[in-house]
Amino acid sequence: MAAVNMNTPLWEAEPVRVGVVLSAIPACIAIGEGRGVDYRSGKDEEAKSYPFDQVVTLNDIQSLHAELLQPLTELIPSGYNEALLICGASTEEINTLIDQRIIKQVLSDLFSRMLSQVKEELFISVSFLQFYPDSSAVDLLSPKRQTLKLVTHPVLGNLVGGLTEVCVFSAEEAFTLYETCRETLKDNTGSISSRCSSLFLVTVEWKLHPEEVESEVCRSKLQLFRLAGGASRTDLRGVSPLVKAVDQTQCEATTGDKILPLLLHDALTGNSRTVLIYSINPQGLLDDETPSALALAQKARSLVTKATVGRWSPKATEQKIRDDIVALRAVMMSQGEGEGHNTFRLAELTQHLQIVKDQSWKKRREESKKIKGKTQSCRTPNSNLHSGDQREGTDTLKYLQDQLKQEMEEHVREGKGNVEKVQERVARIQQLRETLREETLKSGAATDKSDLCQQSQLEYSTAQERRRQLKEDHGRLIQEEVEKMERDLAQEQLLTEGPQRELLVLTRERRVLVLQIEALRAEAQQAERDLQNQYHQHQTELHCLREESLQVFRVFRQVSEEQRRMSEGRYRGVLLEAVQDAVYLSAQNQDLQADNKQLRKALGELKDTLAARGDPTAELISQQQ
């Protein structure tokens, strides 16, 4: 797994620590003294004690952190590998508590310790493996679904070849990836998701002497196993992989070539400090799972791991492997044809050299960026979920259109009013327009475009692979014909001479040339068919893009028409109000003019009356006028 520094002990023996979580405590179970469990299978039978490192209930599952989980991450900054195995009962409540109280807390402790204790540049990556009930593995972070194989490196130890790594920079990002992969596992496996196990792997690396060009690298790994199944053979979820791993460990049997048993064997007896958390859901006296689970957890507690400090020099390791390859090639050249084990050894050294090259931080970061981009752009849901999303998107569009229409009608109807209310309504209309535009593009164009893009890429890759296979088949056929010709000529060399032999050679060469011409013609025809298919696919994509553009324009036109109608209605209302005000003011003006005329007439009559009486007030009134 990791190289051992010569200044540290070869290995440090440490037993597997076991914590038991009880969902209930029936009469047949009692939490005994010394952190154990006392179990009585019958009323008259004597209770049997199972000692563990800690026993808790679901209500105080948080107490596992101080006793078992916190020490698990304390030595990661020192270069030790850690493993956390979680198995047993898997109800919805238990799964939620494990994810939030255990997995999330462990990741948070890991990042906080590394960021506080390691001041140099850090490289942290995560990987996620899904295991089916037959222990076959699937890399959920890999878009290509590469073939996985466990490889033993002389310096780096056990590695999963082809496993995808994604760089993370915080505990929140790591836990988000974990939750996403768990949801993907449920979607992929469907009804058998409760029988599938998983491994969330966190790899931490940092340079011990960053000021040096070729510094030693310290490497630690945290393996978070979620093991499905029970300890009893009668469990409906199947038998837990831990049962087989513990049994094979105790009898020292081989674990085959499956990845999960090998990883579990390494976590329980190899280079790791391991903690097992076993959840038990007791069902009473007739329960067969509880005693089997207690016995299995106790067996696991008797196992001993051999943890070592992981330090290695990439440059020195690469140079040593290159020297071994050069020396082995010299031995093979001196022996002529060579021996079979030397050829096998050369292939093994070449594989080890490639593994060392793949450990480059720069290369892994670039691959991580590509994986993140492909995961975000090419992630497509299954057909049922996709159709559900389409229905949901259509309902959302209809709702937004109704809301926009209602807001516009209210704005036209109540255009004259409080300025603040008008501004608020206009802001709501603008927001509804933006939301409607984004939802239209998202539900219509984005889905079709991503589907067509993925289909086009798949067809192109298939055609390319088909042409490559056809070319290889033709090359192999021509090579076989050439070898056959050479053999026939060698056999007939003694029988024919002169012009007959020359004619025979020309006849055989003509046959090879005819094969080559036929091969080239077949390849050209296949390439023409693939080109025609690509042309039709391109036309289809172009048509979809045109439809998408037209759909966008239609949406914009609809919004513009709604805005124009709204403005026109509002202007008509303002104009109508202005005309009504003008008519009203004109009528008022006429009334005032009539009143003024009547007042002048009355004033004139009053003046005449006063003048007839000889009152001096008449002169004063005349002067005021």
Side-chain angles (χ1 to χ4, degrees), residues 294-392:
L294 293 173
L296 176 61
Q298 192 176 40
K299 287 181 182 179
R301 190 170 180 263
S302 64
L303 301 177
V304 177
T305 61
K306 305 171 183 178
T308 61
V309 176
R311 295 178 184 175
W312 73 298
S313 175
K315 187 66 177 179
T317 304
E318 181 179 351
Q319 188 60 45
K320 183 179 183 304
I321 296 176
R322 290 185 183 276
D323 294 342
D324 293 341
I325 291 176
V326 171
L328 184 59
R329 283 177 177 173
V331 172
M332 294 176 66
M333 291 294 292
S334 64
Q335 294 178 353
E337 291 294 329
E339 298 180 2
H341 71 275
N342 286 337
T343 305
F344 177 81
R345 176 60 179 164
L346 181 61
E348 187 180 39
L349 288 174
T350 305
Q351 184 185 34
H352 293 166
L353 180 62
Q354 186 61 44
I355 291 175
V356 173
K357 291 181 180 180
D358 293 340
Q359 301 305 310
S360 169
W361 289 6
K362 181 179 180 181
K363 184 176 181 179
R364 291 156 75 185
R365 285 193 177 110
E366 291 175 353
E367 292 294 327
S368 175
K369 289 181 181 179
K370 294 179 182 178
I371 294 299
K372 286 183 177 180
K374 290 180 181 179
T375 303
Q376 293 174 358
S377 62
C378 298
R379 183 181 298 163
T380 56
N382 54 45
S383 57
N384 294 332
L385 183 61
H386 183 63
S387 60
D389 290 342
Q390 286 184 335
R391 291 194 299 270
E392 183 180 354

Side-chain angles (χ1 to χ4, degrees), residues 467 470-479 511-527:
R467 291 195 301 272
L470 183 63
K471 187 175 181 180
E472 289 181 357
D473 293 341
H474 288 160
R476 186 164 51 252
L477 181 62
I478 293 172
Q479 183 64 28
R511 185 181 301 174
V512 174
L513 289 175
V514 169
L515 281 176
Q516 290 178 343
I517 292 173
E518 290 296 329
L520 291 174
R521 183 182 293 113
E523 292 175 10
Q525 292 175 354
Q526 184 63 48

Side-chain angles (χ1 to χ4, degrees), residues 219-489:
R219 178 186 177 97
S220 297
K221 291 195 296 185
L222 173 63
Q223 301 179 93
L224 301 175
F225 290 90
R226 295 292 300 272
L227 304 178
S232 173
R233 302 288 179 181
T234 60
D235 195 288
L236 297 178
R237 297 171 299 150
V239 180
S240 173
L242 183 65
V243 176
K244 186 175 181 180
V246 171
D247 291 342
Q248 291 179 342
T249 299
Q250 291 184 341
C251 65
E252 298 182 357
T254 58
T255 55
D257 58 349
K258 296 292 186 179
I259 295 178
L260 180 57
L262 292 171
L263 291 176
L264 287 177
H265 181 270
D266 198 40
L268 293 171
T269 61
N271 181 12
S272 178
R273 297 173 68 248
T274 305
V275 172
L276 168 65
I277 296 180
Y278 208 113
S279 302
I280 300 177
N281 187 20
Q283 300 295 329
L285 295 175
L286 299 179
D287 181 19
D288 187 39
E289 173 63 21
T290 300
S292 300
L294 293 173
L296 176 61
Q298 192 176 40
K299 287 181 182 179
R301 190 170 180 263
S302 64
L303 301 177
V304 177
T305 61
K306 305 171 183 178
T308 61
V309 176
R311 295 178 184 175
W312 73 298
S313 175
K315 187 66 177 179
T317 304
E318 181 179 351
Q319 188 60 45
K320 183 179 183 304
I321 296 176
R322 290 185 183 276
D323 294 342
D324 293 341
I325 291 176
V326 171
L328 184 59
R329 283 177 177 173
V331 172
M332 294 176 66
M333 291 294 292
S334 64
Q335 294 178 353
E337 291 294 329
E339 298 180 2
H341 71 275
N342 286 337
T343 305
F344 177 81
R345 176 60 179 164
L346 181 61
E348 187 180 39
L349 288 174
T350 305
Q351 184 185 34
H352 293 166
L353 180 62
Q354 186 61 44
I355 291 175
V356 173
K357 291 181 180 180
D358 293 340
Q359 301 305 310
S360 169
W361 289 6
K362 181 179 180 181
K363 184 176 181 179
R364 291 156 75 185
R365 285 193 177 110
E366 291 175 353
E367 292 294 327
S368 175
K369 289 181 181 179
K370 294 179 182 178
I371 294 299
K372 286 183 177 180
K374 290 180 181 179
T375 303
Q376 293 174 358
S377 62
C378 298
R379 183 181 298 163
T380 56
N382 54 45
S383 57
N384 294 332
L385 183 61
H386 183 63
S387 60
D389 290 342
Q390 286 184 335
R391 291 194 299 270
E392 183 180 354
T394 304
D395 295 340
T396 304
L397 282 175
K398 186 176 180 181
Y399 171 76
L400 290 174
Q401 290 172 352
D402 294 341
Q403 285 292 109
L404 181 60
K405 185 177 181 181
Q406 182 180 355
E407 289 289 342
M408 287 182 174
E409 291 176 354
E410 291 181 359
H411 186 57
V412 173
R413 187 171 58 252
E414 303 175 3
K416 185 179 179 180
N418 191 350
V419 178
E420 293 182 356
K421 291 184 178 180
V422 173
Q423 291 178 349
E424 290 179 1
R425 188 178 294 110
V426 171
R428 287 198 302 270
I429 291 174
Q430 293 291 342
Q431 186 177 3
L432 282 172
R433 285 178 186 167
E434 292 294 327
T435 307
L436 180 62
R437 182 178 64 84
E438 293 176 359
E439 191 66 29
T440 303
L441 294 175
K442 183 190 302 182
S443 61
T447 303
D448 296 339
K449 186 176 180 181
S450 62
D451 291 344
L452 283 174
C453 180
Q454 186 179 13
Q455 183 180 359
S456 177
Q457 183 66 29
L458 179 61
E459 291 182 359
Y460 172 74
S461 301
T462 304
Q464 191 176 25
E465 178 64 22
R466 185 166 54 245
R467 291 195 301 272
R468 185 190 65 80
Q469 187 66 35
L470 183 63
K471 187 175 181 180
E472 289 181 357
D473 293 341
H474 288 160
R476 186 164 51 252
L477 181 62
I478 293 172
Q479 183 64 28
E480 291 176 357
E481 186 64 26
V482 170
E483 293 176 355
K484 180 181 178 182
M485 180 189 69
E486 292 177 351
R487 288 195 304 268
D488 293 344
L489 291 176

Side-chain angles (χ1 to χ4, degrees), residues 89-265:
S90 59
T91 62
E92 192 67 27
E93 181 183 9
I94 292 176
N95 290 334
T96 302
L97 288 175
I98 287 175
D99 287 341
Q100 298 296 327
R101 302 288 179 86
I102 295 180
I103 302 294
K104 189 175 184 178
Q105 188 64 47
V106 169
L107 292 175
S108 178
D109 286 353
L110 170 63
F111 277 82
S112 62
R113 288 184 186 278
M114 295 305 303
L115 294 176
S116 62
Q117 297 184 28
V118 179
K119 304 302 180 183
E120 294 78 20
E121 182 183 7
L122 277 172
F123 179 89
I124 305 179
S125 65
V126 298
S127 304
F128 196 98
L129 279 173
Q130 168 193 328
F131 301 99
Y132 283 97
D134 62 348
S135 296
S136 58
V138 177
D139 185 1
L140 293 187
L141 291 177
S142 173
K144 299 180 180 179
R145 293 291 190 265
Q146 297 181 0
T147 303
L148 303 175
K149 183 179 180 181
L150 195 67
V151 180
T152 301
H153 195 273
V155 176
L156 297 174
N158 290 335
L159 299 171
V160 180
L163 183 62
T164 302
E165 291 181 276
V166 176
C167 298
V168 293
F169 303 95
S170 64
E172 291 77 14
E173 185 180 3
F175 185 71
T176 301
L177 271 173
Y178 169 82
E179 287 186 315
T180 302
C181 291
R182 290 286 297 177
E183 291 298 325
T184 305
L185 185 150
K186 293 179 181 178
D187 295 337
N188 292 345
T189 55
S191 59
I192 64 170
S193 61
S194 61
R195 301 180 61 189
C196 293
S197 304
S198 64
L199 167 62
F200 187 69
L201 175 63
V202 184
T203 305
V204 186
E205 298 179 22
W206 65 97
K207 295 182 179 179
L208 295 177
H209 308 288
E211 67 278 1
E212 299 179 4
V213 179
E214 301 297 337
S215 170
E216 277 190 317
V217 175
C218 201
R219 178 186 177 97
S220 297
K221 291 195 296 185
L222 173 63
Q223 301 179 93
L224 301 175
F225 290 90
R226 295 292 300 272
L227 304 178
S232 173
R233 302 288 179 181
T234 60
D235 195 288
L236 297 178
R237 297 171 299 150
V239 180
S240 173
L242 183 65
V243 176
K244 186 175 181 180
V246 171
D247 291 342
Q248 291 179 342
T249 299
Q250 291 184 341
C251 65
E252 298 182 357
T254 58
T255 55
D257 58 349
K258 296 292 186 179
I259 295 178
L260 180 57
L262 292 171
L263 291 176
L264 287 177
H265 181 270

Side-chain angles (χ1 to χ4, degrees), residues 23-41:
S23 61
I25 304 180
C28 60
I29 287 183
I31 299 179
E33 299 180 0
R35 302 179 180 180
V37 174
D38 296 333
Y39 178 79
R40 180 181 288 104
S41 58

